[in-house]
Amino acid sequence: GLTADRAFLKPEEHRGEVLSCTGRLIKIYTERLGSGKGEDFVYLGILQEQSTNRTVWFYMAEKPVDPVTRKPIVFNTYEKGGQEYYSDWARLNGVFLRQYRYPSQFDDEKGNAVYARAAVLFVKDLRIVEKPE
């Protein structure tokens, strides 16, 4: 019953716990690890949790595969402002690592950076699901 939103609100209490999260995928990136030597990398994904609109960042050690065909998932995408985004909905199961604070795209009325926060997970299982009602 642990969701990203509940873990996000009490990060010290829920660190290391397994949780489930459903939401709209924003993007999945490849992120290189270490010094850049070799091909060590992880996948970094961003999801917007259903009903809370909480931003969830998740890391995956392997490229997401369809559990039935065992082939890489082909995501539905669209372009906006020269950027590619995903339009799929997904269900994640993973371990809650921490809450991350980062500068958002907005400034306050005085021109100071406004900080956003995201729940960060390590995910083993990503499944494409139908858009919730």
Side-chain angles (χ1 to χ4, degrees):
L2 183 62
T3 63
D5 186 57
R6 285 186 47 215
F8 176 91
L9 294 172
K10 294 184 178 179
E12 300 82 18
E13 184 178 320
H14 296 295
R15 182 181 170 100
E17 290 185 33
V18 175
L19 62 86
S20 294
C21 175
T22 300
R24 186 177 58 84
L25 279 174
I26 306 297
K27 184 80 172 171
I28 297 178
Y29 303 91
T30 303
E31 186 171 282
R32 195 169 292 286
L33 298 174
S35 64
K37 297 178 182 176
E39 293 298 320
D40 294 331
F41 57 88
V42 294
Y43 295 93
L44 168 62
I46 301 171
L47 175 136
Q48 185 178 27
E49 187 179 39
Q50 175 196 3
S51 72
T52 66
N53 292 329
R54 179 81 64 212
T55 300
V56 177
W57 290 9
F58 59 93
Y59 290 100
M60 297 185 78
E62 299 174 350
K63 192 171 188 173
V65 296
D66 182 293
V68 175
T69 65
R70 302 305 304 160
K71 293 183 179 182
I73 294 173
V74 177
F75 296 100
N76 295 304
T77 62
Y78 65 95
E79 283 201 28
K80 182 177 179 181
Q83 294 285 329
E84 180 184 60
Y85 297 96
Y86 292 25
S87 59
D88 295 300
W89 286 74
R91 178 143 183 97
L92 309 174
N93 293 304
V95 176
F96 177 70
L97 300 175
R98 65 187 178 121
Q99 182 188 100
Y100 184 72
R101 189 171 178 256
Y102 61 97
S104 76
Q105 60 187 354
F106 303 107
D107 292 335
D108 65 15
E109 61 279 348
K110 296 179 182 176
N112 299 315
V114 172
Y115 284 82
R117 296 177 297 167
V120 181
L121 313 175
F122 187 82
V123 170
K124 183 173 180 170
D125 181 34
L126 179 150
R127 294 177 187 256
I128 299 299
V129 296
E130 293 295 320
K131 180 180 179 180
E133 293 292 322

